[in-house]
Amino acid sequence: MSVIGEERVRGGVFREISAEDEETQPTEIQSLCMNCYEDGNTRLLLTKIPFFREIIISSFTCPHCHWTNTEIQSAGRIQEQGVSYNLKIKCKEDMNREVVKTDSATTRIPELDFEIPAFTQKGSLSTIEGLLDRAVAGLEQEQPIRRATDPEVANKIDQFIQRLKKLKVMEEEFTLIIDDPSGNSFIENPCAPQKDQALSVSYYKRTPEQNASLGINDAEPEPEDKPANDLDTMRNEVLVFNTNCPECNAPASTNMKLVQIPHFKEVIIMATNCDSCGHRTNEVKSGGATEELGTKITLHLTDSSDMSRDLLKSETCSVLIPEIEFELGMGALGGKFTTLEGLLKDIKELVVMKNPFICGDSSTTETAEKLEQFGKKIDQIIAGEMDVHIILDDPAGNSYLQNVYAPDPDPEMKIEKYTRTFEQNEDLGLNDMKTEDYGEVQS
């Protein structure tokens, strides 16, 4: 507490980087240089990427041997799911994309059969070009020793280094894959708020081996003699359990209740309120199983009164607005039970107000103007000044948009059921799920 300062704690330990905010200045501490074993200086900056999450940036400099080292660590908790980024790099502009890579992430370039395993590098905040420079520097580090002890291996590595350098100057297209089971890595989308055609993001459930590598113990199974939950009691009660605030990590409580949505199904609503920093969050999860068919809901907005329609967006639902070429992918914003106006305001806050690439050194005039225009279009949609369609595409079939004409059909809303593709089942983890023959007793 004495190092960070009482005022800084009151304003939040992790603050957005701002030239006008004196509290965002780094903290300097004296530490040992692992190169010459003299005293050096480490500078720590606790900040947050608004479009992402909190990070700790550290930079070490030794005044004696001039050795330097920088690294980044995620200050947030390990996410519920792992994340995999697949980026097709086609031009030099792609080399400037910013990348957050944690130490638990695996980096691959399939065209070179090249892989940087997890936990072999410290986390970094860099660009695609910076990742390649770091890989080249790592391979060149032991080359003098290899040339003396094993010239053949050294020659092969020299050839491989030349191939990496050719990728850096874009002599050929290549694919970059970052797979992080902790879910804390990130690749910039310069096309925001539009979908990035060159970048695909997928989320997955960690294996027991990945949980073990991250130091996570799998949940213990419930005792067999534990009585079953009484659903009638759960419907009438609000359950409270202890947790930690996702913003400041202080102890907080989460309220959970089972709610029946008319003309739909039961859902679980969870709300967290932090007394320390005032942060509030809510999340909705389906109370039932994954539906046999996916659901696509298309609403034609004809009046500003449509903004008051109740809406349930599950964590597997994508949101599309074709008229402004906008797509919000599966997993973004999480599950929400709100109104249509509330969803649009959350989209504007996520894409425009909390986007780190419109401020500081990462900003460009073109990107800032593009996002500003997008924010104005969202305001026009909320005010009923634009004729657009809102599409909720949920392959799990667990999303809902209120029909104000119920039980009669809504003339402005179209609900389509469709069969999921193999890739959608893969994203939902259904291809590897066994649901048959569990009741058979072996003789």
Side-chain angles (χ1 to χ4, degrees):
M1 182 71 72
S2 60
V3 175
I4 300 175
E6 182 180 355
E7 292 296 327
R8 185 170 181 177
V9 173
R10 278 204 293 263
V13 174
F14 297 90
R15 306 170 69 93
E16 296 181 18
I17 297 178
S18 172
E20 290 78 21
D21 190 354
E22 296 181 357
E23 299 296 337
T24 58
Q25 298 302 315
T27 300
E28 295 192 11
I29 58 175
Q30 193 176 47
S31 53
L32 179 68
C33 175
M34 301 308 296
N35 188 49
C36 67
Y37 299 103
E38 297 288 343
D39 287 337
N41 294 320
T42 296
R43 306 178 75 192
L44 295 174
L45 181 62
L46 282 67
T47 185
K48 58 183 176 181
I49 302 178
F51 206 46
F52 188 46
R53 53 181 60 91
E54 299 89 353
I55 59 173
I56 301 174
I57 303 175
S58 64
S59 174
F60 175 82
T61 304
C62 178
H64 303 282
C65 67
H66 305 292
W67 185 67
T68 61
N69 181 38
T70 61
E71 65 178 85
I72 181 176
Q73 294 180 354
S74 173
R77 65 183 63 188
I78 295 174
Q79 304 305 304
E80 292 185 1
Q81 293 180 311
V83 64
S84 178
Y85 292 88
N86 190 308
L87 174 64
K88 187 68 176 179
I89 300 174
K90 302 180 180 179
C91 59
K92 290 186 177 180
E93 286 74 16
D94 287 332
M95 303 298 291
N96 295 325
R97 291 176 184 248
E98 297 193 6
V99 178
V100 176
K101 188 184 86 68
T102 69
D103 53 0
S104 62
T106 299
T107 305
R108 296 196 299 272
I109 301 177
E111 288 81 356
L112 300 185
D113 197 19
F114 175 66
E115 177 176 322
I116 303 175
F119 303 106
T120 57
Q121 286 185 349
K122 294 291 185 180
S124 63
L125 173 59
S126 180
T127 60
I128 304 295
E129 183 178 1
L131 287 181
L132 294 179
D133 285 337
R134 194 176 184 187
V136 169
L139 292 172
E140 289 179 339
Q141 186 175 4
E142 302 295 332
Q143 278 298 83
I145 298 176
R146 294 191 190 100
R147 292 190 182 98
T149 59
D150 198 337
E152 184 178 352
V153 172
N155 183 51
K156 291 181 179 179
I157 293 179
D158 282 334
Q159 294 176 9
F160 188 83
I161 290 174
Q162 292 304 315
R163 295 186 66 186
L164 282 176
K165 290 181 177 179
K166 288 181 179 179
L167 294 185
K168 198 177 81 168
V169 296
M170 287 307 302
E171 291 191 8
E172 61 178 286
E173 298 180 0
F174 66 98
T175 305
L176 177 70
I177 300 174
I178 295 182
D179 190 314
D180 187 1
S182 74
N184 286 325
S185 291
F186 177 76
I187 295 182
E188 175 193 0
N189 173 12
C191 304
Q194 279 77 34
K195 182 179 180 180
D196 191 340
Q197 300 297 331
L199 177 66
S200 62
V201 185
S202 59
Y203 299 87
Y204 59 88
K205 185 178 180 180
R206 285 185 292 270
T207 64
E209 292 77 12
Q210 289 173 325
N211 280 331
S213 67
L214 296 173
I216 302 175
N217 293 326
D218 291 335
E220 296 182 359
E222 296 184 359
E224 294 182 0
D225 57 349
K226 185 176 180 179
N229 290 327
D230 187 348
L231 289 180
D232 291 334
T233 302
M234 291 182 64
R235 292 187 182 98
N236 298 325
E237 290 185 0
V238 177
L239 304 180
V240 182
F241 56 91
N242 296 326
T243 183
N244 291 79
C245 174
E247 281 290 322
C248 67
N249 207 36
S253 60
T254 295
N255 298 330
M256 183 176 72
K257 192 174 190 306
L258 197 63
V259 177
Q260 174 69 45
I261 298 180
H263 309 290
F264 190 51
K265 60 173 68 174
E266 285 185 330
V267 297
I268 300 171
I269 299 179
M270 297 185 292
T272 303
N273 185 11
C274 178
D275 295 330
S276 299
C277 67
H279 176 73
R280 295 184 179 182
T281 182
N282 64 78
E283 187 174 359
V284 177
K285 293 186 179 295
S286 172
T290 301
E291 298 292 326
E292 292 185 3
L293 299 175
T295 302
K296 184 177 181 180
I297 305 173
T298 304
L299 175 66
H300 182 203
L301 297 181
T302 57
D303 191 83
S304 58
S305 62
D306 287 329
M307 293 295 109
S308 61
R309 291 178 184 247
D310 289 332
L311 177 145
L312 170 65
K313 175 196 168 302
S314 76
E315 60 271 18
T316 59
C317 179
S318 300
V319 181
L320 298 89
I321 308 178
E323 288 77 5
I324 61 175
E325 297 181 349
F326 173 76
E327 179 176 348
L328 183 72
M330 185 174 70
L333 285 179
K336 283 189 173 293
F337 184 40
T338 179
T339 61
L340 192 54
E341 180 180 3
L343 177 67
L344 292 173
K345 287 183 176 179
D346 287 340
I347 290 174
K348 178 182 177 181
E349 182 179 5
L350 176 68
V351 176
V352 181
M353 301 173 66
K354 289 187 175 181
N355 194 325
F357 303 114
I358 62 172
C359 59
D361 296 337
S362 302
S363 64
T364 62
T365 303
E366 182 181 357
T367 301
E369 290 178 353
K370 186 192 304 182
L371 292 176
E372 183 180 357
Q373 290 298 321
F374 175 79
K376 291 180 180 179
K377 290 180 180 178
I378 293 293
D379 291 336
Q380 291 175 350
I381 294 174
I382 294 175
E385 299 174 357
M386 286 190 68
D387 186 10
V388 299
H389 293 76
I390 304 291
I391 302 175
L392 303 179
D393 191 346
D394 187 357
N398 288 327
S399 293
Y400 161 84
L401 185 59
Q402 181 185 9
N403 175 6
V404 294
Y405 296 90
D408 297 326
D410 190 330
E412 302 298 337
M413 186 165 67
K414 180 181 179 182
I415 301 179
E416 303 172 71
K417 297 290 185 178
Y418 63 87
T419 302
R420 286 184 292 269
T421 63
F422 178 86
E423 290 75 14
Q424 289 174 323
N425 282 328
E426 188 73 16
D427 291 337
L428 296 174
L430 299 178
N431 291 332
D432 299 325
M433 186 180 296
K434 182 179 179 182
T435 59
E436 298 178 353
D437 301 330
Y438 278 105
E440 293 185 359
V441 179
Q442 299 293 332
S443 57

